[in-house]
């Protein structure tokens, strides 16, 4: 069975209550439960941390275990060379996902340190970006 990991970075544990005008009203737990029902042919793993090093450790732990990673690195997207290096080292395809359209927001969100290490990026399509990334891995 296709094994995929969804990795969420800082503040994404508060989806549903965090700036709902930007990120919507649904918690990630609610969305993830629906995602698992929609893709019974995929084993979906999920990890969230507010700590940069824990995200890196989790990415390393995915080696040899999953065939693809869906990563919403939150604000670390715009700051973390260490996360970019981790993506480069694990040799697992990573799709970058952002719920909001980062290119339509503050200038500091327009730079992604991780994008060039990812196979592609989905931004601005809401939580559905995660499902679209799952579909991408299924289509391969
Ligand atoms: C985000 C966009 C980032 O700029 C922000 O820091 C987040 C969420 C998104 O999903 O739209 O935490 O990654």
């Amino acid at each position: 069975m296709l094994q995929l990991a969804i990795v969420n970075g800082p503040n994404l544990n508060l989806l549903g209550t965090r700036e709902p005008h930007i990120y919507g009203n649904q918690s990630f737990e609610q969305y993830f439960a629906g995602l698992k029902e929609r893709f019974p042919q995929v084993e979906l793993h999920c990890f969230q941390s507010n700590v940069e090093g824990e995200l890196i450790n989790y990415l390393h732990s995915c080696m040899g275990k999953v065939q693809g990673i869906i990563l919403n690195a939150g604000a670390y997207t715009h700051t973390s060379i260490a996360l970019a290096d981790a993506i480069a080292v694990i040799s697992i395809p990573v799709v970058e996902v952002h719920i909001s359209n980062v290119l339509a927001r503050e200038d500091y969100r327009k730079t992604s340190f991780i994008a060039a290490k990812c196979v592609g990026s989905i931004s601005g399509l809401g939580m559905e970006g995660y499902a679209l990334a799952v579909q991408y891995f299924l289509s391969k």
Side-chain angles (χ1 to χ4, degrees):
M1 198 190 275
L2 179 66
Q3 308 264 341
L4 298 177
I6 297 179
V7 181
N8 279 331
N11 301 304
L12 295 167
N13 53 314
L14 296 180
L15 287 173
T17 52
R18 174 192 183 192
E19 297 177 280
H21 57 291
I22 298 175
Y23 300 111
N25 295 305
Q26 203 176 19
S27 71
F28 190 77
E29 290 71 21
Q30 287 167 333
Y31 182 77
F32 188 63
L35 204 59
K36 285 196 287 191
E37 280 176 17
R38 287 164 65 185
F39 296 104
Q41 71 277 47
V42 182
E43 187 151 350
L44 286 170
H45 306 269
C46 184
F47 179 79
Q48 190 278 331
S49 178
N50 296 319
V51 180
E52 187 176 14
E54 288 181 3
L55 294 166
I56 292 165
N57 285 343
Y58 183 77
L59 291 177
H60 291 174
S61 78
C62 285
M63 281 190 284
K65 296 199 184 120
V66 306
Q67 289 81 53
I69 295 172
I70 297 161
L71 173 62
N72 185 345
Y76 289 140
T77 304
H78 319 298
T79 63
S80 180
I81 296 168
L83 263 180
D85 284 351
I87 295 166
V89 86
I90 56 177
S91 305
I92 302 167
V94 176
V95 172
E96 176 186 19
V97 167
H98 298 288
I99 296 163
S100 64
N101 181 354
V102 284
L103 295 180
R105 299 181 63 192
E106 299 94 335
D107 280 349
Y108 58 79
R109 295 187 204 277
K110 292 180 181 159
T111 299
S112 170
F113 281 83
I114 65 171
K117 309 293 182 192
C118 293
V119 288
S121 304
I122 299 169
S123 174
L125 304 183
M127 297 269 240
E128 232 5 53
Y130 294 99
L132 293 167
V134 172
Q135 275 168 15
Y136 162 73
F137 283 115
L138 274 172
S139 74
K140 290 193 71 204

